[in-house]
Amino acid sequence: MAEITANGYVSIREHIVQNWKKVVLKDASNAQIFTTNIDGVKAKWTHTRTTEQRVTGWNDFGEPMYEQVKVESIPTLEISIKITGADVSPLPSSVSKVQVIDSQNRIMTEETFQPFRFETAQDELTMIIKIQVPQQ
């Protein structure tokens, strides 16, 4: 059986970041309380990426051309989400589950946590969702 190389794991992490698009918060009865795109407004990717020099093409003489590119080389990906009670409907509401959804609306990961209750529009919840994609 063939094993995935370190570059294979980088490719898997890059696929995740490019294709996992939404965060959904649910209550204990699995009702959706809040959803947002991972677009930098309410939710964004916040893990560290490294920079590597990679071959990005070939010149007219057949020599490689190099460029510095950001690479998903860290095994733990992170999504940060920050919402207030003003984002949630209805109030009051409790959230106890988070899901990350891909571009085809499939649940890619979910986690249950100690309930957080939004009572007012000023209540604020900040979460960091950690997704472990191991090295080889």
Side-chain angles (χ1 to χ4, degrees), residues 26-28 93-97 112-118 125:
K26 294 189 169 190
D27 65 13
S93 286
S94 291
V95 294
S96 59
K97 182 188 282 186
T112 302
F113 53 90
Q114 189 69 30
F116 180 87
R117 187 162 176 84
F118 290 97
L125 174 64

Side-chain angles (χ1 to χ4, degrees), residues 22-36 88-90 93-95 97 99 101:
K22 288 193 287 189
V23 174
V24 176
L25 295 177
K26 294 189 169 190
D27 65 13
S29 69
N30 216 32
Q32 184 172 307
I33 302 298
F34 176 77
T35 186
T36 188
V88 174
S89 180
S93 286
S94 291
V95 294
K97 182 188 282 186
Q99 297 175 330
I101 311 295

Side-chain angles (χ1 to χ4, degrees), residues 34-46:
F34 176 77
T35 186
T36 188
N37 291 323
I38 306 170
D39 60 4
V41 179
K42 296 286 181 185
K44 61 185 172 182
W45 293 100
T46 54

Side-chain angles (χ1 to χ4, degrees), residues 16-74:
I16 289 170
V17 170
Q18 292 170 7
N19 291 285
W20 293 16
K21 299 294 187 185
K22 288 193 287 189
V23 174
V24 176
L25 295 177
K26 294 189 169 190
D27 65 13
S29 69
N30 216 32
Q32 184 172 307
I33 302 298
F34 176 77
T35 186
T36 188
N37 291 323
I38 306 170
D39 60 4
V41 179
K42 296 286 181 185
K44 61 185 172 182
W45 293 100
T46 54
H47 57 278
T48 303
R49 298 188 313 168
T50 58
T51 302
E52 293 182 4
Q53 183 172 322
R54 289 213 174 156
V55 174
T56 56
W58 304 91
N59 66 18
D60 292 339
F61 303 105
E63 301 167 328
M65 297 185 322
Y66 297 94
E67 211 174 296
Q68 294 291 325
V69 295
K70 294 281 187 177
V71 178
E72 303 292 349
S73 61
I74 308 298

